[in-house]
Amino acid sequence: MSELKSLGKQTDYTFDYKPEILEAIPNRNSARNYFVKLNCEEFTCVCPVTGQPDFAALKIRYIPDEKLVESKSLKLYLMSFRNVGIFHEEVVNRIADDLIKLLNPRYLEIEGNFKVRGGISIEPFVNFGRGEFEEMAKNRLARHE
C-alpha cells in the first residue's frame, strides 16, 4: 500500500473540491457481501447563494466489491467541500458519483442531515445498486423516510 498518497504522510488540507484526493485499497473480503458504514458528523459546505456555512452529518453506507475507500482520503475529500458553494441535494449526489466512480460498489447509499437554517432542515438521500443489489436499491429508496 505504499502507493497511497495520504495515509501515513504529512497532511495537506485543501478547502476546494478535489475528487482526485479519493483513494481506494483492495477489499480482501470481496467474496462476502457486507456493509461498510462511514459517518461524518462535521461536514461543511457553503450556500451557493448567500455564502453562509451549512453544517451536516453524512452517513455513507456501501457494500464493496473489489475496492474499499481509504478513510483518510475520504476525510480529506469531504473536507475539500468546506468552501464550495453547493446545494444540499447536489452534495450527496456528487459524493455518490465520485465514490461509485472510484469503487464500483455493489451497493451505495448516502444520507445527509443538514442542520436547520431558516427554520428548515434538509435530509437528502441517494442510493445506487448494481446486479443483484439493484432491486435492493429501489426498495430502500421507496421505503426511505
Side-chain angles (χ1 to χ4, degrees), residues 128-141:
F128 160 85
R130 71 175 167 82
E132 66 184 296
F133 295 98
E134 192 172 343
E135 193 64 31
M136 178 179 142
K138 289 178 188 176
N139 289 335
R140 284 177 75 98
L141 184 61

Side-chain angles (χ1 to χ4, degrees), residues 1 13 28 31 34 39 49 85-86 91 99 110 133 139:
M1 289 193 231
Y13 295 97
R28 294 184 180 152
Y34 64 97
N39 298 308
V49 177
I86 190 168
V91 166
L99 288 174
I110 301 173
F133 295 98
N139 289 335

Side-chain angles (χ1 to χ4, degrees), residues 109-123:
E109 65 185 36
I110 301 173
E111 183 176 352
N113 182 353
F114 286 83
K115 306 306 177 204
V116 174
R117 278 184 73 261
I120 298 173
S121 66
I122 299 176
E123 297 181 0

Side-chain angles (χ1 to χ4, degrees), residues 25-34 62-68 103-107 130:
I25 58 174
N27 177 12
R28 294 184 180 152
N29 298 289
S30 62
R32 178 181 297 128
N33 291 323
Y34 64 97
Y62 69 102
I63 299 172
D65 196 349
E66 298 297 320
K67 300 176 191 173
L68 300 166
L103 303 174
N104 192 27
R106 296 171 186 164
Y107 177 82
R130 71 175 167 82

Side-chain angles (χ1 to χ4, degrees), residues 14-21 43-55 76-92 94-95 98 114 117:
T14 183
F15 301 112
D16 297 306
Y17 172 68
K18 293 208 186 296
E20 62 273 14
I21 292 172
F43 180 83
T44 60
C45 58
V46 297
C47 174
V49 177
T50 66
Q52 294 182 358
D54 287 318
F55 302 94
L76 295 173
Y77 165 77
L78 293 174
M79 287 177 66
S80 82
F81 282 91
R82 174 62 186 95
N83 293 328
V84 176
I86 190 168
F87 290 112
H88 305 152
E89 298 84 356
E90 186 180 349
V91 166
V92 296
R94 186 173 302 175
I95 294 169
D98 290 341
F114 286 83
R117 278 184 73 261

